[in-house]
Amino acid sequence: MNIFISHEAEAVKEAVKFKELLLAINDQNAIQLTSDWETIESGEFWMSRINDMLQNMDKMLVLITRKESFANLWINFEVGVSIGKDIKPQILVFGGIPLSEMKPPINQIHVIGTGDTNRWVKLFESLGYQIDAIAEKSLAELFNPNRKGK
């Protein structure tokens, strides 16, 4: 399964950590992350590469790490591609961000607040990730609004 992770530039640390956590749980899925060093090589025409990733994705996970992320043009563009491909974007809103801050058009999509552990565990399990207590703790720490290195 090809999973594309959408995020904004301000969330590179969280996105890379998120990818690492998912790969530690299950390395069978291909995870496409535009901000890591493996996905887009130096010197590569990045817009073409992002377009290829979007066209070949099977699932999309969207990381919302601050309220301004809801209005981020890249996130909305990538979510739009996902919807155009009839792939439901799974939007993970990090703890502490009020959903009332969502702006159109993204506010028309049902999101998963990361404080809702049962929902995000169910989502990850549907993607083939078996979430044990250690993985759940690691993900919860990443999603915590008071996390260190925020």
Side-chain angles (χ1 to χ4, degrees):
M1 179 180 319
N2 288 323
I3 299 173
F4 183 88
I5 298 176
S6 179
H7 65 88
E8 62 180 342
E10 289 80 2
V12 170
K13 288 181 184 179
E14 290 92 343
V16 170
K17 180 67 176 171
F18 183 62
K19 178 182 177 179
E20 290 170 355
L21 288 171
L22 292 180
L23 288 173
I25 298 166
N26 174 355
D27 63 0
Q28 298 303 304
N29 291 331
I31 299 177
Q32 306 295 314
L33 181 65
T34 60
S35 59
D36 67 1
W37 292 357
E38 291 94 31
T39 304
I40 301 177
E41 295 180 19
S42 178
E44 191 170 359
F45 184 60
W46 58 267
M47 188 61 198
S48 293
R49 181 70 180 113
I50 291 172
N51 187 53
D52 289 343
M53 288 186 282
L54 290 169
Q55 294 308 312
N56 294 309
M57 71 181 162
D58 299 309
K59 300 287 182 178
M60 175 182 275
L61 301 176
V62 181
L63 305 182
I64 302 293
T65 57
R66 59 192 194 116
K67 67 181 183 178
E68 293 83 4
S69 302
F70 290 121
N72 181 279
L73 294 176
W74 275 108
I75 288 176
N76 280 279
F77 168 76
E78 291 166 351
V79 166
V81 172
S82 177
I83 291 169
K85 289 179 52 69
D86 202 26
I87 295 172
K88 294 177 184 170
Q90 301 299 312
I91 301 173
L92 300 168
V93 181
F94 278 48
I97 301 172
L99 299 183
S100 61
E101 296 289 336
M102 291 175 64
K103 306 282 187 246
I106 208 165
N107 68 351
Q108 301 298 306
I109 301 170
H110 190 272
V111 302
I112 299 173
T114 53
D116 190 352
T117 308
N118 292 333
R119 292 194 65 133
W120 55 260
V121 167
K122 182 179 176 183
L123 165 65
F124 294 138
E125 288 179 346
S126 76
L127 297 173
Y129 297 98
Q130 295 304 311
I131 307 298
D132 61 16
I134 295 170
E136 185 173 337
K137 182 178 184 226
S138 296
L139 288 164
E141 287 172 1
L142 178 64
F143 294 149
N144 185 322
N146 299 316
R147 64 196 178 279
K148 292 181 176 134
K150 181 177 172 185

